[in-house]
Each structure stands twice: as C-alpha cells, then as structure tokens.
Amino acid sequence: MSLDVALIRQQFPILSRQVNGQPLVYLDNAATTQKPQAVIDALVDYYSQCNANVHRGAHYLSDEATKRYEKARVTVANYINAQRSEEVIWTSGTTEAINLVANGAAQRLTAGDEVLITEMEHHANLITWQQACKRSGASLKIVPIHNNGELNLEAFHELLSERTVIVAMPHVSNALGTINPVKQLTEAAKAKGALVMIDGAQGVAHGAIDVRDIGCDFYAFSGHKLFGPTGIGVLWGRYDVLADWPVWLVGGEMIASVTYEDASWGELPNRLEAGTPNIAGVIGLAAAVEWLQAYDRADIWAHEQALLTRATELAEQTPGLKIIGTAANKIGVLSFVIDGMHPADIGFILDKQGVAIRTGDHCAQPLMKRLNVPGTARASFTIYNSMDDVEALFKAIDKARKMLA
Ligand code: PLP
C-alpha cells in the first residue's frame, strides 16, 4: 500500500503556511522535521493537565506525570527493539548522548588505545572523540571514504585492530545521505573486542531500527529529527555496558546515597540522568513515535526513495549541477553544488520562492574539505514531502541558475 501524502500533510499545521509570500516547500528535514498535530497536542495536554516533577512528588500529578514519563520510555524502547526500557537514557539530543559515551570512555581510554571514526562524521561524533582521545592519550583513527561518499570498507577492516577500543560511526551521513552497513561493521568490530557506538541521528527516521539486530553497544538519536520536540534525545546502551559506564553529569535523581564526603550512584536509567529531565519532551517524543508507527516502514521507505529517484533524475538534467554523495545506498538526501554559484546564494534564492533547504558545511567541515567543496546545498525528503515538492525544488533551482548566470 502506498502512503496518502495529502492526508499526512494535513496533520502538520506548519505545512499549510506561506513564507516569503509563497507556499512553504519544506525540504530541510535532515536538520529538523516538522511536528504533527498529535505531538503538539501531547505537549499541550501535558502542560495543561499533568505538569509536575517526576519520581519525587508525593501527590497525584507527580504520580501521573511519572507514569506517562516511564510509559514513554517503554514506547521508545519497543520502537528500537531494546531488550529493557532501562536501556533508554534520556538526553537533550544526539550530541549530548555522544558526549555521555565519549566522556565516560575518556575516563577509561589510555595511551595505545585506538578509537575508530569515519571521514563522514558530523562534528558531534568527531569533536567528541577527538577531545576524548586528546584527554586520554588514545589515538583517533579515521576511516576514509570513496569519492562517491561510500565508506572505504577495505580501509575500515585494515584500521580495525586489537588496539581498537571503540568504533563510533554514523548510521547515515547527514551531508551525503550514505547509509553505512552498520550491522556488518559492528560484527567485525565486536570480533576484535571493540565497543560500537552508532550515531543514529539520521538513521532513526528512515528505516526500522533494531538495536539488537545491529548488535552495537550504543545507539544515539534526537527526537526533533523524528517528528518529536527539540531538546530531547536518546542514548540507548546495552544494559551490562551502561550499568557500569562512568557517570558524566552528577546531581539530583541519579544517586543511591550522599554524604558530605562522598556519593554513590543509583541504578539504570537514573544513574545517567542527573537533574529534572525534559518531561514534556519525553512525552512529546513518545507521541511522535506512536504517530509514526501508524505507517508502514516499507511504505515510508518506498515513498522517500521515489522522491530521491525523481530528484536525482532532475538533478542530472540540470546543467552545471553536481550531486555530492552518490552512494548506492542512500536515504532521501540530495546534496549538490552548481558551477559558478555559491551554495549560500542558491539557498537564498530558493528561500525567496518558499523552498527551504540547508546550505553550508552541514557541521562536517573536514568532510567538505575532503570532497573539495566549500559546502553544498542539501534537500532532504521525508514522509510528508510530495512529488510536487520535488518539482518545486527544481523550478526554483532553474530560476536561481537564470538569476545568477
Ligand atoms: N549526528 C548527525 C549525523 C546529525 O545529522 C546531527 C544533526 O544534524 C547530529 C549528530 C547532532 O544532532 P543534535 O544537534 O540533534 O544533537
């Protein structure tokens, strides 16, 4: 069955607004997705009916808020096929989740240890490990990519060794759309005894995620790229790994007992969740997951791939346009440059026509340097985008080309 995109669009109030006097064509979904009414309603309902702190109040509202908050943990755990809901740690987003892992790792890494990342990292998964290595004396090894944006698998296997303590890699590249064979790479890394952390910021919204099937130790993602609120994200980790992972943030909620001299840490998930959490965000994220689960993953995938195929066809017919990232296995991301046009100018002219894309280095400066581009223009597609959006994108690109010719 195919998706009824018109019906899906009706659930996103923002999609019917105008920008710059034009109907909005929102193609910046890799940066953040729009929110369906179901998520907006869940946030309003929480604040208007149930606002209270969790796990501490001895009153009705606190009890209800705690129940909703912990039910959300189960919803998200089931969504990624976690074995236990305690394996889901709430963070502010992917960035904080990776920091939690890298800061913990930095306390254990020593000189001679190696951390493997890739050339296609978002800064969130690059600087974190770079700094963890600097602090600990471990070496950062970087797996190169091919010119088409695919990971060099041969190099990955060559760089992987008994010295590799952690492999940290993106499920999907935000700048190029490349989907990495994370299950296969995880298997190889585990055979060498390494821990595996996957940056799932771009992976989570496009296909079914099964953390047990992948076999990794950590999987990080953000709610706002999954139709949920900003400021909420998830670090999933295998129970036995998380249970004694060094704590990073300390404070209320995460302790077992405290004296003036010392403190001991509580059980999972609390030990890694210091302070009052983003309760509304958690509830909003669960609403987003429930909303998304009403649609068949295969239908979503087929729809996004159809949009990408059409966009790629039109891109190939556009004089002077070069697609950056042509991996065989990609999500609906079209990154491109056009001869003689700076990406920022393309973005500016498209915006005037109501078409929202992202331009720049996509938080991947070393990758842009590796690909020898100043940055790219990037259109990214999701469940609510239509073929009309793709046509509007290329109509706007044609206009930009004529204006800047
Ligand atoms: N990793 C990847 C691949 C991303 O695309 C992003 C955001 O674009 C991040 C990490 C960081 O996500 P956040 O800013 O939500 O923490």
Side-chain angles (χ1 to χ4, degrees), residues 56-97:
R56 20 190 126 181
H59 58 84
Y60 186 93
L61 283 186
S62 175
D63 185 45
E64 191 174 312
T66 304
K67 282 189 180 127
R68 287 197 199 186
Y69 175 80
E70 289 304 333
K71 184 167 170 259
R73 202 187 298 274
V74 175
T75 302
V76 170
N78 289 340
Y79 182 65
I80 58 173
N81 197 27
Q83 190 152 25
R84 301 173 63 159
S85 64
E86 300 94 320
E87 294 176 336
V88 168
I89 306 298
W90 303 121
T91 65
S92 64
T94 309
T95 303
E96 190 181 277

Side-chain angles (χ1 to χ4, degrees), residues 30-31 93-96 98 122 124 170 172 174 199 201-202 222 224-225:
T94 309
T95 303
E96 190 181 277
I98 300 172
H122 185 284
V172 173
N174 62 312
D199 168 357
Q202 298 294 338
S222 302
H224 69 97
K225 295 185 199 284

Side-chain angles (χ1 to χ4, degrees), residues 195-248:
L195 288 171
V196 176
M197 199 222 69
I198 295 174
D199 168 357
Q202 298 294 338
V204 77
H206 301 280
I209 299 301
D210 184 332
V211 288
R212 275 193 269 173
D213 181 58
I214 296 171
C216 54
D217 298 284
F218 303 101
Y219 194 97
F221 61 94
S222 302
H224 69 97
K225 295 185 199 284
L226 189 64
F227 313 104
T230 51
I232 184 67
V234 170
L235 173 68
W236 168 84
R238 270 200 304 121
Y239 191 91
D240 55 326
V241 177
L242 282 184
D244 93 315
W245 199 249
V247 301
W248 173 44

